[in-house]
Amino acid sequence: MKSALICLMLLAAGAVFGSNTQAAPTFPEKEITIIVPYSAGGESDMTARKIAEIAGKLQVFSQPVIVVNMPTANTRDALRHVAGSKPDGHTLLLHHTTFLSAHALGTVPYSYKDFAMIGQSLITPNCLIARADAPWKNGTELLAAARSDKPIVAGTSTIGGYGHTIFEFFMNATKSRDKFKTIFFGSTTESATALQGGKIDIRSQPTGGAMNAVKAGDSKILILLTEKGMPQFPGVETLGSLGVTNIPMQRQGLWAPKDTPPAVLDQLGAALEKIVNSQEFQDFAASKAMIAEFIPRDQWIKYYQADEKVYDQIAADIKKAAKK
C-alpha cells in the first residue's frame, strides 16, 4: 500500500513538471519569413535570399528561412504586414535607412521605432556616376562645371529614397543646391536608360549597380558619397576627401514586430551575426560593392538615432525647396 502511494505521488509530480516543460515554447516553431519591401532582383532581395541560403547551410535555425517580396505601395504594404504580424520572431523585415528619410518626409507612416531591431547586416554606399564620355573626371570637376555652366541634370530614386536623400546631402555639403536639377525615376533601370540616352547628366547610384555599369563600359564613377575609399574603386574621389564628414550611410538589417520578446531577438541576432561573419556572406557583399558588418541592436540603434537628426534636416530642406 505504501509503495503504491509513493508511485502515485511520483506520477503526479511527473505530470506537473512535464506539463510545465511542455508549456515552454521553443523557437522557431515554424519557418521564418523575411519580408522584403522591394522587387525581386534588387540588392535588398539578393541580400535577404543570401541570408536565407546561408542560414540553411549553417543550420542556425531548426526551421527553414524563406523570403517574400512585397514591393507595393512604396514599402507601406510590407511595413504594415510586419508591424501587424504576431511578435514571435517568425515574421521579419529586411529594410534600411529609408526608414528615416521616408518617415521624415511623411511618405511612409512607419518609423524604425515602430519595430524591434535585430541587427545590422550590410552598409550600402552610394556614388554619383556619369556616362563614360562625360567631360568630368571626378566630383571636383563636376562641381566646378555646375557652378560655371547651366545647371546639371541629376537622376535619382523616388522622393524620400536613399538615393534622393544622399544626393540632397551632397548638394547641401558642397553648397551646390541651386546648381543641379533633379529628376526622379521609379527604378534604377529607368535612370540608367535616361543617362545613356542623354536625358540626364549624372545619377545617384548604389555602388553595386555602379560597379556593374562601369564594368559594362558605359559609365564612370565621379565620386563616392563616403568618407573613405573602397577597394573596389581604387583612386576614385570621395566626399570625405572634399572635407565632408558625418555622411549618412544606408544601413541595412533585420527587424521584427515591436513587441517581440528580447530572448527571441537575442537568438535572431546571434544567428544573423554568424551569417554576416561567414566568409560566404563577406564575399557576397564585396562582390556587390557593399560592406558586410554585423552590429547588434543596442549599438545599431545609436547610428539610427544620430542619422535621424541628419535626415530630419534633409527633409526640412527638401520641403523648403519644394515651396519655392
Side-chain angles (χ1 to χ4, degrees):
M1 185 70 179
K2 186 175 181 180
S3 60
L5 181 61
I6 293 173
C7 287
L8 286 172
M9 291 174 64
L10 289 173
L11 286 171
V16 171
F17 288 115
S19 63
N20 287 344
T21 301
Q22 293 172 2
T26 57
F27 176 81
E29 297 179 286
K30 58 183 179 180
E31 65 186 16
I32 296 172
T33 301
I34 299 177
I35 302 295
V36 178
Y38 301 100
S39 301
E43 290 180 350
S44 292
D45 173 65
M46 289 189 289
T47 302
R49 294 185 186 281
K50 179 57 68 173
I51 288 174
E53 178 187 347
I54 298 176
K57 291 180 179 179
L58 298 181
Q59 297 183 334
V60 293
F61 298 116
S62 60
Q63 299 286 342
V65 178
I66 64 171
V67 176
V68 174
N69 299 90
M70 200 173 290
T72 50
N74 190 26
T75 75
R76 289 191 295 274
D77 285 346
L79 300 181
R80 184 184 304 111
H81 177 81
V82 176
S85 295
K86 187 176 180 180
D88 57 7
H90 293 97
T91 302
L92 309 179
L93 174 74
L94 185 134
H95 205 19
H96 46 60
T97 313
T98 296
F99 254 139
L100 297 172
S101 55
H103 186 263
L105 286 167
T107 58
V108 171
Y110 293 94
S111 162
Y112 73 96
K113 298 173 185 177
D114 296 318
F115 298 83
M117 283 182 155
I118 294 172
Q120 177 181 286
S121 54
L122 284 174
I123 297 174
T124 305
N126 213 278
C127 63
L128 298 182
I129 68 172
R131 290 186 302 277
D133 60 356
W136 323 291
K137 295 180 181 178
N138 50 43
T140 298
E141 292 187 4
L142 172 70
L143 288 167
R147 288 167 180 149
S148 60
D149 300 330
K150 62 181 181 179
I152 289 173
V153 182
T156 186
S157 60
T158 54
I159 296 176
Y162 178 69
H164 173 209
T165 50
I166 192 63
F167 185 64
E168 292 282 341
F169 179 87
F170 167 79
M171 290 190 292
N172 288 345
T174 57
K175 296 179 173 58
S176 60
R177 170 171 288 280
D178 60 341
K179 305 303 180 182
F180 292 91
K181 177 183 178 182
T182 307
I183 296 179
F184 301 99
F185 294 89
S187 68
T188 54
T189 300
E190 291 178 11
S191 63
T193 300
L195 180 66
Q196 295 309 314
K199 294 182 179 180
I200 58 176
D201 301 306
I202 61 170
R203 66 187 181 111
S204 176
Q205 168 81 22
T207 48
M211 181 171 63
N212 293 335
V214 171
K215 287 181 178 179
D218 56 22
S219 302
K220 62 182 175 183
I221 300 176
L222 300 177
I223 185 169
L224 294 169
L225 302 182
T226 59
E227 291 189 24
K228 298 179 180 180
M230 298 179 65
Q232 295 92 337
F233 311 109
V236 175
E237 187 177 63
T238 68
L239 194 51
S241 69
L242 302 185
V244 180
T245 58
N246 299 320
I247 302 170
M249 304 295 287
Q250 181 169 279
R251 297 180 178 276
Q252 181 196 83
L254 291 180
W255 312 72
K258 189 173 184 179
D259 295 326
T260 302
V264 173
L265 295 176
D266 287 342
Q267 189 172 341
L268 288 165
L272 182 61
E273 182 175 16
K274 290 180 181 178
I275 292 168
V276 172
N277 289 339
S278 70
Q279 191 61 52
E280 182 174 353
F281 193 84
Q282 293 289 321
D283 292 342
F284 160 78
S287 72
K288 305 296 182 184
M290 299 184 287
I291 303 167
E293 180 184 8
F294 174 78
I295 298 178
R297 67 180 191 275
D298 59 339
Q299 298 176 31
W300 195 29
I301 193 171
K302 294 178 182 178
Y303 286 99
Y304 269 70
Q305 290 169 339
D307 285 350
E308 186 173 24
K309 298 175 183 178
V310 177
Y311 281 100
D312 284 347
Q313 183 59 55
I314 292 173
D317 292 338
I318 292 172
K319 292 175 182 176
K320 183 178 179 181
K323 292 180 181 180
K324 293 183 179 179

